[in-house]
Amino acid sequence: MKNFTKPGRRKAAKNAGVASGTNILIHHMGSSITVTTNTITFLQGSGNYTFIYTDSGKRYLVCKTMKLLSENLKQNFIRIHKSFLINSDLVLERIEDDRLLKMACGSEVTVSRRKNKQITKILNHSSLQISA
């Protein structure tokens, strides 16, 4: 019988669901699915679980924290709230004084009050429409 309490094995078990670089391995309905980070619109954290939303409108539940998943994501992912991490490339528009972001999957995500100014500066692109 193998001892799984060694630090190396714990780290390997901790990162088992996260592939390196541009892909995330998701165990869904008894099979493993590889999702590229370019198709992820946003992540929604809920304790030790994270919902991954893709641009095709699909939602996957992963039993990893959002912090662990964010370590393997690119620079274009921004933390806009305690529970949300968005892909800034897939923001369609900003609504209601820039506090609400419409994503490519059709969902709307709320920006926290404390991060509103910072997110507005980051997303200050000419391609994004600001509604009045």
Side-chain angles (χ1 to χ4, degrees), residues 23-93:
N23 296 325
I24 294 179
L25 183 64
I26 298 172
H27 300 288
H28 181 69
M29 303 290 285
S31 63
S32 296
I33 300 169
T34 302
V35 177
T36 60
T37 57
N38 296 336
T39 62
I40 296 174
T41 54
F42 67 96
L43 304 170
Q44 180 182 8
S46 179
N48 288 332
Y49 296 93
T50 303
F51 288 101
I52 298 175
Y53 292 84
T54 62
D55 58 357
S56 63
K58 293 186 179 181
R59 179 177 84 163
Y60 300 102
L61 178 65
V62 180
C63 83
K64 302 283 181 214
T65 61
M66 203 163 59
K67 181 179 179 180
L68 179 66
L69 290 172
S70 68
E71 292 171 356
N72 291 12
L73 296 175
K74 297 179 183 176
Q75 295 292 333
N76 57 338
F77 281 86
I78 305 167
R79 188 80 171 249
I80 62 164
H81 191 276
K82 179 182 174 185
S83 302
F84 291 105
L85 184 73
I86 64 160
N87 185 347
S88 62
D89 295 339
L90 297 177
V91 175
L92 296 180
E93 65 178 315

Side-chain angles (χ1 to χ4, degrees), residues 87-107:
N87 185 347
S88 62
D89 295 339
L90 297 177
V91 175
L92 296 180
E93 65 178 315
R94 296 182 281 181
I95 309 169
E96 295 179 13
D97 298 330
D98 298 339
R99 290 278 320 276
L100 198 62
L101 301 176
K102 184 162 183 159
M103 303 302 294
C105 63
S107 299

